[in-house]
């Protein structure tokens, strides 16, 4: 290679130390003191280009790694949210199927009969236990009687003209509606006043 192709990146000159300090009596160098020299480092143009290309490649790889880490984090969050959503959907579907049992227990507990009848008392105890179980699962009954009609929570099957009730007020509840948290799992079937 010729001297023209070399491009000095860093040049350092050798530090000159006076001869009087390097030599002791009788012309010998004293212990612990050595002649310090720093050599200059030079690189060829090809080497500089290779280093620049390696730096660009490193930056590209770093960018790819950062993007991949962000994509993985988004994937992890998305799958956790989907898993929770699937769990809530399955829970709502299961509870919805058991609401028919609730309706039957409610009818049986409301049926006329002797207050001293052990069968009726047992049925009322079972119905109370069933309501407590639903409460523990996060299920609550939609309050409808005497409330304004809400199409997102109520299903109107009849209308009645009643002077004592306000406009669009629920007059009667035929079937209780239920919420799982804030989500409606069954609409309340109601009669609405005009």
């Amino acid at each position: 290679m010729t001297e023209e192709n070399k491009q000095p990146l860093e040049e350092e000159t050798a530090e000159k130390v006076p001869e009087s300090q390097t030599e002791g009596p009788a012309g010998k160098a004293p212990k612990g003191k050595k002649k310090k020299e720093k050599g200059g480092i030079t690189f060829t143009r090809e080497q500089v280009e290779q280093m620049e290309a390696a730096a660009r490649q490193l930056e590209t790889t770093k960018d790819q790694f950062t993007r991949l880490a962000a994509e993985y984090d988004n994937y992890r969050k998305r799958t956790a949210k989907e898993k929770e959503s699937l769990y809530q959907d399955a829970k709502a579907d299961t509870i919805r199927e058991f609401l028919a049992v609730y309706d039957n227990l409610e009818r049986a507990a409301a049926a006329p009969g002797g207050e001293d009848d052990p069968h009726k008392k047992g049925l009322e105890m079972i119905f109370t236990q069933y309501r407590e179980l639903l409460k523990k699962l996060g299920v609550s009954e939609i309050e409808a009687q005497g409330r304004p009609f809400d199409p997102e929570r109520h299903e109107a099957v009849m209308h009645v003209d009643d002077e004592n009730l306000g406009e669009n007020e629920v007059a009667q509840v035929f079937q209780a509606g239920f919420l799982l948290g804030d989500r409606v799992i069954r609409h309340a079937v109601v009669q609405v006043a005009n």
Side-chain angles (χ1 to χ4, degrees):
M1 263 186 229
T2 64
E3 288 295 319
E4 296 168 1
N5 288 343
K6 290 187 180 179
Q7 178 181 4
L9 289 182
E10 181 183 326
E11 277 190 22
E12 296 181 10
T13 58
E15 191 176 304
K16 302 258 182 184
V17 181
E19 283 183 29
S20 60
Q21 291 180 356
T22 57
E23 292 181 8
K28 293 185 181 177
K31 289 184 181 178
K33 291 197 175 186
K34 293 185 180 178
K35 195 175 180 181
K36 291 185 178 179
E37 283 190 23
K38 294 184 180 176
I41 300 175
T42 57
F43 297 102
T44 63
R45 188 167 302 207
E46 285 180 12
Q47 290 172 328
V48 171
E49 289 173 359
Q50 287 175 350
M51 286 188 281
E52 289 173 351
R56 284 192 301 271
Q57 180 65 29
L58 177 65
E59 195 61 38
T60 302
T61 304
K62 182 181 173 185
D63 185 53
Q64 288 174 343
F65 174 75
T66 304
R67 290 176 187 270
L68 184 63
E71 285 178 18
Y72 175 73
D73 191 44
N74 290 340
Y75 167 77
R76 186 180 51 78
K77 288 176 183 175
R78 186 175 61 247
T79 54
K81 187 184 277 187
E82 288 172 359
K83 182 179 175 184
E84 180 63 27
S85 175
L86 285 173
Y87 173 74
Q88 290 299 325
D89 289 346
K91 186 176 176 181
D93 290 344
T94 304
I95 291 170
R96 189 177 299 116
E97 294 300 318
F98 282 102
L99 291 179
V101 176
Y102 178 93
D103 295 335
N104 290 331
L105 286 171
E106 185 179 38
R107 281 188 212 104
E115 296 299 322
D116 296 332
D117 185 13
H119 294 292
K120 181 154 175 96
K121 283 184 179 180
L123 204 68
E124 288 172 352
M125 289 171 58
I126 292 171
F127 184 52
T128 302
Q129 183 181 15
Y130 194 82
R131 281 193 300 214
E132 291 299 316
L133 177 68
L134 289 176
K135 192 178 204 179
K136 285 181 185 175
L137 292 172
V139 178
S140 60
E141 189 172 337
I142 296 173
E143 295 181 22
Q145 185 72 40
R147 304 269 179 169
F149 177 73
D150 181 1
E152 292 185 16
R153 294 180 175 219
H154 306 135
E155 179 183 344
V157 292
M158 290 178 66
H159 290 279
V160 65
D161 291 324
D162 192 341
E163 298 287 327
N164 299 328
L165 298 173
E167 184 76 21
N168 284 334
E169 187 176 324
V170 174
Q172 187 178 358
V173 179
F174 296 120
Q175 186 179 47
F178 292 92
L179 298 169
L180 178 60
D182 292 332
R183 178 179 175 186
V184 176
I185 54 175
R186 184 173 82 179
H187 291 81
V189 179
V190 297
Q191 180 185 45
V192 181
N194 287 338

